[in-house]
Amino acid sequence: KHAPDAIKSSFAKLPISYQTQQNFQSMAGIVTDAGNVVCDDDDTICPNLLEIAQQDYADKISTVLNANTLPIGLGGGHEIAWGSFLGLWQHMAAAPTPLANIGIINLDAHFDLRQDQYATSGTPFRQIAEHLDAQEQPFHYLCVGISQFSNTASLYERACDLGVSVIGDDDCHRLDWQAIEQKILAFIAPLDVIYLTIDMDCLAGSVMPAVSAVAAKGLSLDFVERCVLLIINTGKVKVIDMAEVSPKYDIDGRGLKVAGRLLAVMVEAVLSSSPFKSLPLSR
């Protein structure tokens, strides 16, 4: 819950890069802070409180999208994923054109397909799958960085049943980049719209200690940046979020520096590759 302001503080300390300065006269009015959405649950699971906050967050995502602006959500727990997707769905469902084919790309060590009585950070993609099924829409979900030691056999079975595409953490280290690139682009090719979400615990613990589930192996920051740039440069990304940053677990501020840098990389990529203005929106 302390992550949004902490990430924005880290981001604010970075200089405007030479590349961005060459492309834009001023950043004013291009990158804007839309404020925070807070779930006042006193750090306990309280029926409906998270769901109310997720709906509030989804409505704000829809508002940002309706203004022809690209929202970047900053968490907090990965429960923001359901709100991010719902906001995108609401925006697209209200459009005069037929509903586009949506794909989800999640850089994560975990599937987050768990069954639970209440919404949690482990349930968002199951919630999305159930929502799409109820709407008779396909569930296009690619997980990059999945760890076999971070997911139970039942979660793998559920992912298989749902047709989830997977690039495991071993493959991320052992395959050539061209092979990874082809897999990601092949997933994106038939889709109209992409929701990109990055669970920061996909990164190696030595790189990103500011998470509650530190990765024993994890991905390199360079690999994550290459994936993010590849996906954004397709021009199909409409919503982005970054989740699971927990400042209380940080070491020497390194995790927040990583989060601030990754946010800057994404903002510059969005500004360079699409007509959207980029607007960090935090939970």
Side-chain angles (χ1 to χ4, degrees):
K1 65 183 180 181
H2 302 295
D5 288 337
I7 296 170
K8 287 183 282 188
S9 178
S10 178
F11 175 71
K13 296 173 185 176
L14 299 176
I16 296 175
S17 73
Y18 177 78
Q19 177 182 349
T20 299
Q21 192 174 37
Q22 295 302 300
N23 291 334
F24 300 96
Q25 293 293 323
S26 171
M27 295 291 283
I30 295 175
V31 181
T32 308
D33 178 10
N36 296 351
V37 175
V38 179
C39 180
D40 292 315
D41 59 7
D42 197 29
D43 295 341
T44 60
I45 295 178
C46 301
N48 298 320
L49 283 185
L50 176 57
E51 289 81 353
I52 291 170
Q54 286 173 314
Q55 184 62 63
D56 185 14
Y57 174 76
D59 292 342
K60 293 183 184 300
I61 290 288
S62 297
T63 298
V64 171
L65 288 166
N66 291 341
N68 194 36
T69 306
L70 190 148
I72 302 178
L74 306 176
H78 213 173
E79 62 270 8
I80 67 170
W82 167 238
S84 292
F85 178 85
L86 183 58
L88 174 61
W89 176 271
Q90 291 175 170
H91 164 73
M92 294 177 61
T97 55
L99 196 65
N101 214 8
I102 304 173
I104 304 157
I105 302 180
N106 179 24
L107 276 69
D108 200 337
H110 310 92
F111 286 116
D112 289 344
L113 290 167
R114 292 203 302 266
Q115 294 283 354
D116 209 314
Q117 182 180 3
Y118 305 111
T120 71
S121 61
T123 65
F125 301 103
R126 175 189 58 77
Q127 293 172 267
I128 293 171
E130 290 176 350
H131 172 83
L132 288 169
D133 182 62
Q135 300 294 325
E136 298 183 342
Q137 294 291 321
F139 180 51
H140 300 291
Y141 181 33
L142 168 63
C143 294
V144 181
I146 288 292
S147 170
Q148 64 172 318
F149 299 110
S150 299
N151 299 272
T152 62
S154 63
L155 284 172
Y156 270 97
E157 290 172 2
R158 186 168 301 143
C160 183
D161 291 342
L162 290 170
V164 177
S165 301
V166 178
I167 304 176
D169 57 353
D170 288 338
D171 283 343
C172 292
H173 283 277
R174 298 169 187 173
L175 295 180
D176 291 337
W177 167 249
Q178 289 76 11
I180 299 293
E181 182 180 50
Q182 289 174 7
K183 287 176 179 286
I184 293 173
L185 292 179
F187 173 81
I188 293 173
L191 304 172
D192 303 309
V193 170
I194 296 296
Y195 158 42
L196 172 61
T197 178
I198 302 138
D199 187 320
M200 296 296 279
D201 69 24
C202 73
L203 289 157
S206 58
V207 175
M208 187 59 192
V211 293
S212 59
V214 175
K217 186 171 191 174
L219 309 178
S220 71
L221 180 57
D222 183 67
F223 179 88
V224 170
E225 288 184 355
R226 292 181 84 174
C227 289
V228 166
L229 291 173
L230 174 69
I231 296 162
I232 290 175
N233 286 336
T234 65
K236 294 184 177 183
V237 175
K238 301 301 182 187
V239 177
I240 303 172
D241 63 40
M242 174 192 302
E244 292 296 337
V245 177
S246 186
K248 71 177 181 178
Y249 296 120
D250 207 357
I251 299 172
D252 300 330
R254 74 180 70 164
L256 287 172
K257 287 182 179 179
V258 168
R261 176 191 164 94
L262 185 56
L263 176 57
V265 166
M266 293 191 293
V267 166
E268 290 200 343
V270 169
L271 293 177
S272 299
S273 67
S274 81
F276 278 117
K277 294 175 288 182
S278 184
L279 193 157
L281 175 67
S282 51
R283 185 191 73 79

